[in-house]
Amino acid sequence: MNLHEYQGKEILSSFGVRVQRGTVADTPEKAVEVAKQLTEETGTGWHVIKAQIHAGGRGKGGGVKLAKNLDEVKSISNDILGMMLITPQTPAEGKLVNQVLIAEDVYYPGDSEPNEFYMSVLLNRGTGRNMIMYSTEGGMDIEAVAEETPHLIFTEEIDPATGLLPFQARKIAFNLGLSGAALKEMVKFVTALYTAYVKSDSSLFEINPVLKTSDDKILAVDAKVTLDENALYRHKDYAAMRDLREENPIEVEAKAAGLNYVDLDGNVGCMVNGAGLAMGTMDLIKQAGGDPANFLDVGGTADAQRVETAFGIILKDPNVKAILVNIFGGIVRCDRVAQGVVDAYKNMGDKINVPIICRLQGTNAKEAKELIDNSGMEIISATEFQEAADKVQEVLSA
Ligand code: GDP
Ligand code: MN
């Protein structure tokens, strides 16, 4: 589950990681209020107004701006709130900005060269260990750094039995070119950051930039935090941070119904049991010249209720021109699934406005095919995988 920058910073801060301070606002008036408050608390006169969307690269897209007085706080917030912000990480049409973060300006005017670092914490799946990735080349596109100057990106792997050791934190600070007070501050920062990562059950922290101020403070200016959804049950307060406005509405509905659904760009809706078969089905549709509209794993129990829910969700996508049902009857019997498909079809009446191709294979496949063929419904049955994909192409070109 992805979080907004301001939420990520809240979590970091709760574990003692120093962050650029700020408060979120959803109107220009509220923005001015929190800016005033921030000035009282921190003494800052200047504020940065930062669009809160689930995508990076906001600075380049015009979603991060400096305000030098309260009038500017108001006018900039007014401009950014409600805009469709386009960055290299958003869809082409951009993402709607519902909230802005009003943060203290931490780039002191006197700083000729603010020191920006890159730091992330993530799981190295190859070794099964967490690692800290870091670089002196912060503040910019880390993908470009990885491409052009990979030797400037360092990694430090952490042994799960010992956790991050003090010498590792010092090595990181040293490799970032720090010494004296700044080195000590960085050691504290890295140590707190790693603790936060582990204790919050995150799967990714990306802090770009980590800033060193001229008075040797080290702080997180940005925060991309991804939480491990499987651990959310033990973090009810984090679960409440979910912003459904940032997520695909059909996917949200499917998840609530317990279906594994991913929206895609094509026109062939897929209803499949099992993630592997779903992947295979998408491949076959492609090979036959089509384009899958979704990935959908209905799981083990494909009864009428579930099939109906699944059809409903698939049909919410206006691009869908045909639906391929591809079920393997292992534990679940094919004739039961076929009955489910027929019942769902009956119940939905004219809500089903595209051809359905149904392939059931496995236990009682023969009975299932008969059931479909004799149902009087306009469901096209198929036995073989290829046959099913070809029939999809046929109805699409008809
Ligand atoms: P991103 O573009 O989505 O990664 O958003 P960031 O939070 O990283 O902000 C983008 C850029 O805005 C940073 O790299 C900084 O250069 C700049 N920025 C962020 N905070 C401040 C600030 O307090 N003062 C000034 N002057 N610039 C800031
Ligand atoms: Mn950033």
Side-chain angles (χ1 to χ4, degrees), residues 133-146:
M133 266 177 73
Y134 60 103
S135 175
T136 50
E137 310 305 293
M140 40 174 144
D141 193 359
I142 197 67
E143 285 78 12
V145 179

Side-chain angles (χ1 to χ4, degrees), residues 5 9 20-21 44 46-53 55-67 85 87 89 101 103-109 114 116 138-140 206-211 219-223:
E5 173 196 0
K9 282 176 167 173
Q20 174 192 41
R21 293 179 59 180
T44 186
W46 293 3
H47 299 86
V48 257
I49 317 297
K50 311 181 80 178
Q52 298 298 289
I53 55 167
R58 295 163 301 163
K60 280 188 207 127
V64 178
K65 294 228 165 85
L66 185 65
L85 180 55
T87 85
Q89 296 181 17
L101 176 63
E104 58 174 333
D105 173 29
V106 285
Y107 290 63
Y108 308 149
E116 294 180 308
M140 40 174 144
E206 189 176 49
I207 317 298
N208 189 21
V210 173
L211 180 73
L219 53 104
V221 169
D222 193 3

Side-chain angles (χ1 to χ4, degrees), residues 53-76:
I53 55 167
H54 285 190
R58 295 163 301 163
K60 280 188 207 127
V64 178
K65 294 228 165 85
L66 185 65
K68 297 190 176 174
N69 54 54
L70 292 178
D71 283 342
E72 286 183 12
V73 168
K74 190 163 185 179
S75 63
I76 293 171

Side-chain angles (χ1 to χ4, degrees), residues 85-123:
L85 180 55
I86 300 171
T87 85
Q89 296 181 17
T90 62
E93 71 275 16
K95 284 199 121 186
L96 177 67
V97 183
N98 295 303
Q99 293 165 295
V100 284
L101 176 63
I102 314 300
E104 58 174 333
D105 173 29
V106 285
Y107 290 63
Y108 308 149
D111 274 4
S112 50
E113 256 184 58
N115 247 322
E116 294 180 308
F117 308 115
Y118 171 91
M119 191 170 293
S120 57
V121 190
L122 66 163
L123 175 67

Side-chain angles (χ1 to χ4, degrees), residues 255-332:
K255 185 178 253 168
L259 298 169
N260 234 324
Y261 174 95
V262 181
D263 195 27
L264 299 169
D265 294 332
N267 56 3
V268 182
C270 307
M271 191 172 100
V272 188
N273 66 337
L277 186 57
M279 300 296 282
T281 304
M282 297 192 322
D283 281 351
L284 206 78
I285 290 172
K286 275 257 181 201
Q287 221 171 29
D291 229 339
N294 64 274
F295 167 100
L296 174 57
D297 171 13
V298 290
T301 51
D303 57 10
Q305 185 56 53
R306 221 170 152 71
V307 171
E308 197 175 324
T309 310
F311 276 151
I313 282 168
I314 292 173
L315 288 168
K316 288 224 159 121
D317 178 350
N319 296 327
V320 168
K321 297 289 177 281
I323 298 177
L324 172 57
V325 179
N326 189 13
I327 302 282
F328 174 72
I331 294 170
V332 58

